[in-house]
Amino acid sequence: MDKPDTLDMHSPDFTDQNIEKLAELFPNCVTEAKNAKGELQKSIDFDLLKQELSNNIVDGPRERYHLNWPGKREALLTANTPITKTLRPCREESVDFDSTENLFIEGDNLDALKLLQETYLGKVKMIYIDPPYNTGNDFVYDDNFTADKDEYDLVSEQKDEEGGRLVANLDSNGRFHSDWLDMMYPRLKLARNLLKDDGVIFISIDDNEVHNLRKVCDEIFGGNNLLGIISNTNNPKGRSDDKFIATAHEYIAVYSRNINFTTVHGFEPDEKITKRYNKVDDIGKVYREMDLRKTGDSDKREDRPDMFYYFFYDEIKNSLRVSKSNEKSNHNEIDIIPLKDDKSHGRWRWGFSTAQEKINTVYAKFMPKRKIWGIVEKDYLEGRPAVKSTSSWTFKDVNSERGSEQFIELGFGKEVFQRPKPIGTLKRCIEVGTIPNEESLVLDFFAGSAGIAQAIYELGSAKKRKLKLILIQLPEVTDEKSEAHKAGYSTIAEISKERIRRAGKKIKEDNADKEGIDQLDTGFRVLKIDSSNMKDVYYAPDAISQADLVDQTDNIKDDRSSEDLLFQVLLDWGVDLSLPISKETIEGKTVFFVDGNALCACFDKGITETLVKALAKREPLRAVFRDAGYSSDSTKINIKQIFKLVSPSTEVKGI
Ligand SMILES: C[S@@+](CC[C@H](N)C(=O)[O-])C[C@H]1O[C@@H](n2cnc3c(N)ncnc32)[C@H](O)[C@@H]1O
């Protein structure tokens, strides 16, 4: 009889995954070799791999074009190293915890991105980030903080539990750009894995690092996947403290996961455009008249002779036909040809066959100003293609000042958060990066004041998009002298959460009379990054000493709740963290059901065969129990057998 398998409880090891990928292409290059500890492990025979790639290899000191900086190797290792941390739910700080599909993850985004790898691999439609710009005063998270503290005495710093720290990256620092790249590289690499094939990433940046961002993204996403660098005029008057040229813009770099699958949208038509749609048809649909004659470049008959043909309009019968010949069928017919303003022959916008097919969508109209008959097309507002974004945004709603005004409108003091992005900028990125009526997942892993949540709720209330959101924000401690601290926010994450609460409430109030506003999900589930729920023995069973054996009956730390365990299981099993959760008491034990029967979990002690049978009857896709929770050894041994008989498709695991 076999016992349930145990879950891994750590984020994926990308080195292992890379070896598997190479093994698929070059199975002959996979071998076994001893590691530093003398253990045998799967390895790559690099000499053989080089032979496979014959002459297309650069190695050693040969010159090549690439981005390099001191620390790049470590940054790659940082991205690939698995972690054993977990996400602990926090109901009290959440809004609509059980039903919301939005997540707020509190912690370092490097950890968060690693934890999300299994569950959200290839699932995110759009990522927006507004990372520290490296202005010379920004705090940058140092992932490998091991240096002696004295060395950094002069640098302002905050250390977290794990020894990582936020350091002020001053421009006097000899590693000024390298430190910023060290921070960005592993995060962008992990973020790319989360994007769907048709996914896109928008990255706000300014002159300080735009050159490095471009290079690092070319390496991570591939230069051919660059969709554009938007010049975002956020300060039209220019920065007064610039000595020579007053900077009026920053940038938004836009990359796709795979340009061949990209479905980038555009802006919804604004009022300037919609007001041109000034006619209503018999069934109440709004349209504008569009001349079928081609205007602008190559508008002459000789430019496209095949696009010159005749329309005949019978005014008495009110009928229209199209013909290649200029012969009338009766004398009531008016012949209509594309005439330029100087009365020379022009051409139509459509070929002859299109005109035949779409004859019912056009009509003849006398143009009083030009004193000739023309053909007009009914161009409907509904279904109108979005307006393609240009690479220059000079809209009023992207002005930085709007960002602060919108933050203050929610009742915050101006100084509580520096430079929140204007909602207009965020909405524009989302409109371009996601598709109307298609449910999409959006991720922002430098959430700051969480303006993106407000942008998403506003787009949702206007029924422009259906979006789910994952936000990640470090609980960056606020300076005791800061306005944020004085206003009661001990960390930036506290500000982010409060803004989401206030924005959600305001949007519901402002749109109270709108149909379906109750269904708008303005909730969020707070999950905090913490050390594993499992005691160390879980990860290193070989290292258990005799003394530890007494304690070995339970692998789980004493201060962790069943809900904590549930989220670690969801993470490890790659189950969506935003699915609805319900709790039931069965046979006196608490059982969680995730999304109906996607997963059932019981972490109570004293699990009996009767309970296991009752759960198996529900036929969940997955079932999980606590290893130390069974009432007897025989229950633990029989559990797989019970499921095999009653619900053979259930995957059963233990923790
Ligand atoms: C420029 S702000 C983002 C502003 C945001 N777009 C807004 O509209 O409010 C960058 C944020 O990233 C956060 N941050 C920096 N390093 C981080 C890390 N390693 N993990 C998570 N958040 C981080 C900072 O605390 C800061 O709030």
Side-chain angles (χ1 to χ4, degrees):
M1 301 283 160
D2 49 352
K3 297 176 207 158
D5 302 333
T6 43
L7 287 154
D8 292 343
M9 302 296 186
H10 58 71
S11 69
D13 185 327
F14 287 105
T15 311
D16 285 351
Q17 290 188 5
N18 288 341
I19 291 180
E20 289 309 323
K21 282 182 207 158
L22 280 174
E24 260 174 47
L25 293 173
F26 307 105
N28 56 328
C29 297
V30 180
T31 177
E32 283 177 2
K34 283 191 177 162
N35 65 14
K37 289 189 216 150
E39 299 153 348
L40 269 186
Q41 66 178 28
K42 245 190 195 179
S43 312
I44 294 293
D45 183 333
F46 214 59
D47 290 329
L48 215 55
L49 184 64
K50 276 182 177 172
Q51 283 170 29
E52 290 282 359
L53 302 172
S54 68
N55 295 329
N56 296 22
I57 286 182
V58 248
D59 61 1
R62 264 171 64 194
E63 286 177 353
R64 69 199 77 168
Y65 175 77
H66 72 156
L67 169 67
N68 211 354
W69 69 92
K72 186 176 180 186
R73 271 165 69 102
E74 288 75 16
L76 182 60
L77 272 175
T78 305
N80 285 349
T81 313
I83 53 164
T84 57
K85 293 185 185 178
T86 193
L87 292 175
R88 298 181 67 187
C90 183
R91 274 183 176 268
E92 318 77 79
E93 295 178 12
S94 308
V95 173
D96 302 332
F97 183 90
D98 288 315
S99 57
T100 181
E101 295 193 280
N102 302 316
L103 300 178
F104 180 88
I105 300 178
E106 193 168 309
D108 175 17
N109 50 19
L110 181 68
D111 290 337
L113 289 166
K114 285 186 181 180
L115 292 173
L116 298 180
Q117 292 290 310
E118 295 273 353
T119 315
Y120 294 100
L121 196 79
K123 300 239 172 80
V124 176
K125 170 71 183 153
M126 182 204 168
I127 299 177
Y128 170 80
I129 52 167
D130 177 15
Y133 285 1
N134 218 17
T135 55
N137 300 308
D138 286 343
F139 283 92
V140 172
Y141 205 72
D142 183 346
D143 303 314
N144 296 311
F145 177 55
T146 48
D148 197 320
K149 178 155 182 329
D150 294 347
E151 206 184 302
Y152 289 95
D153 254 352
L154 296 174
V155 185
S156 116
E157 67 179 54
Q158 304 173 4
K159 230 196 278 183
D160 71 9
E161 270 176 30
E162 310 290 317
R165 57 169 200 159
L166 270 175
V167 258
N169 197 19
L170 309 174
D171 46 13
S172 53
N173 170 11
R175 293 188 41 85
F176 183 60
H177 294 291
S178 301
D179 278 353
W180 187 84
L181 281 164
D182 279 352
M183 190 273 292
M184 290 301 285
Y185 186 71
R187 288 166 175 83
L188 288 171
K189 226 171 164 320
L190 291 165
R192 179 180 176 270
N193 296 337
L194 302 182
L195 282 176
K196 288 173 72 174
D197 279 339
D198 65 348
V200 275
I201 181 166
F202 290 70
I203 308 168
S204 284
I205 200 72
D206 75 1
D207 284 319
N208 288 292
E209 292 293 349
V210 65
H211 53 305
N212 283 325
L213 181 82
R214 175 85 198 260
K215 284 201 190 131
V216 86
C217 286
D218 279 356
E219 179 174 321
I220 291 171
F221 296 97
N224 60 326
N225 287 317
L226 172 74
L227 300 183
I229 307 270
I230 296 166
S231 150
N232 186 41
T233 307
N234 59 330
N235 180 1
K237 287 192 200 126
R239 241 179 2 214
S240 54
D241 44 0
D242 280 339
K243 213 165 169 187
F244 304 108
I245 294 178
T247 310
H249 71 286
E250 52 179 35
Y251 307 93
I252 304 171
V254 191
Y255 280 81
S256 60
R257 165 83 200 234
N258 183 337
I259 200 149
N260 299 318
F261 295 103
T262 303
T263 49
V264 157
H265 198 68
F267 303 134
E268 302 306 322
D270 61 14
E271 209 191 320
K272 248 201 239 156
I273 295 174
T274 52
K275 74 176 185 213
R276 287 189 228 142
Y277 288 76
N278 52 5
K279 300 222 158 4
V280 182
D281 74 5
D282 307 341
I283 54 164
K285 281 171 73 180
V286 178
Y287 71 96
R288 64 173 173 169
E289 288 180 337
M290 262 173 68
D291 199 334
L292 196 65
R293 183 174 68 89
K294 171 86 174 79
T295 51
D297 289 345
S298 32
D299 61 346
K300 297 198 237 17
R301 178 176 181 168
E302 58 266 33
D303 291 327
R304 288 296 298 270
D306 55 327
M307 287 193 177
F308 181 92
Y309 44 85
Y310 300 83
F311 282 93
F312 290 101
Y313 176 53
D314 187 329
E315 223 178 341
I316 296 172
K317 290 195 200 138
N318 190 22
S319 67
L320 186 71
R321 68 183 178 93
V322 58
S323 168
K324 281 190 177 168
S325 107
N326 62 353
E327 270 176 45
K328 291 185 187 179
S329 58
N330 69 58
H331 61 268
N332 289 328
E333 279 190 328
I334 302 165
D335 58 324
I336 306 173
I337 54 169
L339 281 182
K340 287 167 56 80
D341 287 342
D342 61 6
K343 297 279 160 34
S344 64
H345 282 186
R347 68 166 178 99
W348 302 114
R349 287 190 281 115
W350 296 346
F352 182 71
S353 53
T354 310
Q356 275 181 314
E357 264 166 48
K358 295 170 81 171
I359 190 77
N360 293 327
T361 66
V362 292
Y363 53 88
K365 183 172 176 177
F366 187 73
M367 319 269 187
K369 269 198 207 140
R370 300 180 62 215
K371 296 196 179 62
I372 53 165
W373 281 84
I375 298 292
V376 288
E377 179 198 359
K378 273 187 190 172
D379 177 34
Y380 286 96
L381 180 59
E382 197 184 296
R384 184 191 192 286
V387 182
K388 195 190 276 178
S389 167
T390 71
S391 60
S392 166
W393 289 5
T394 51
F395 315 101
K396 282 196 187 128
D397 59 14
V398 303
N399 191 316
S400 292
E401 282 174 8
R402 287 298 299 134
S404 295
E405 286 161 20
Q406 285 151 343
F407 186 64
I408 296 167
E409 272 164 27
L410 294 172
F412 291 100
K414 183 166 189 260
E415 302 302 327
V416 167
F417 191 85
Q418 302 291 325
R419 291 177 292 282
K421 277 274 169 298
I423 301 299
T425 310
L426 300 171
K427 275 195 195 168
R428 285 182 185 279
C429 292
I430 300 167
E431 282 188 22
V432 174
T434 61
I435 311 288
N437 301 322
E438 197 178 285
E439 200 173 80
S440 302
L441 179 58
V442 174
L443 166 69
D444 179 348
F445 55 90
F446 286 98
S449 72
I452 197 145
Q454 186 169 343
I456 280 184
Y457 295 167
E458 285 186 15
L459 287 169
S461 73
K463 298 211 162 43
K464 288 190 174 163
R465 289 292 186 280
K466 284 198 240 165
L467 304 168
K468 298 203 281 185
L469 178 63
I470 302 180
L471 280 175
I472 305 171
Q473 172 58 39
L474 191 70
E476 181 180 336
V477 177
T478 52
D479 190 300
E480 273 182 24
K481 289 184 215 98
S482 68
E483 286 306 313
H485 198 88
K486 285 184 204 152
Y489 302 105
S490 55
T491 68
I492 304 276
E494 297 303 321
I495 303 172
S496 336
K497 286 176 281 187
E498 186 55 20
R499 180 174 191 176
I500 317 177
R501 291 186 198 107
R502 292 189 193 180
K505 195 162 167 269
K506 182 171 188 303
I507 287 160
K508 287 235 159 136
E509 281 167 9
D510 290 353
N511 296 283
D513 52 351
K514 260 200 198 141
E515 206 193 310
I517 191 73
D518 298 344
Q519 271 85 59
L520 183 70
D521 179 7
T522 52
F524 60 103
R525 202 174 258 184
V526 177
L527 303 171
K528 296 190 181 182
I529 297 179
D530 207 329
S531 63
S532 173
N533 295 316
M534 316 308 288
K535 292 179 183 164
D536 288 348
V537 57
Y538 189 90
Y539 300 102
D542 304 350
I544 308 167
S545 71
Q546 203 53 36
D548 289 334
L549 278 173
V550 187
D551 193 30
Q552 204 207 340
T553 42
D554 200 349
N555 292 323
I556 295 156
K557 291 179 186 160
D558 299 334
D559 64 334
R560 304 302 164 104
S561 70
S562 296
E563 212 153 49
D564 288 335
L565 299 181
L566 178 67
F567 275 84
Q568 185 153 7
V569 166
L570 294 182
L571 263 183
D572 209 69
W573 228 324
V575 178
D576 192 331
L577 300 170
S578 67
L579 289 174
I581 296 168
S582 59
K583 236 196 274 189
E584 284 183 42
T585 307
I586 303 174
E587 296 288 321
K589 307 287 170 216
T590 303
V591 184
F592 294 98
F593 290 92
V594 178
D595 198 24
N597 72 348
L599 183 144
C600 89
C602 180
F603 304 111
D604 283 359
K605 293 194 174 165
I607 292 165
T608 59
E609 288 194 16
T610 327
L611 171 67
V612 174
K613 280 181 193 152
L615 296 182
K617 276 194 198 139
R618 302 262 193 122
E619 300 184 18
L621 292 176
R622 306 171 187 86
V624 62
F625 301 93
R626 185 174 183 152
D627 265 348
Y630 303 105
S631 59
S632 66
D633 279 351
S634 66
T635 313
K636 182 169 180 174
I637 291 167
N638 288 341
I639 189 164
K640 267 203 154 177
Q641 204 54 30
I642 295 172
F643 271 97
K644 219 182 245 173
L645 283 174
V646 184
S647 174
S649 55
T650 304
E651 208 182 328
V652 188
K653 291 211 177 173
I655 63 165

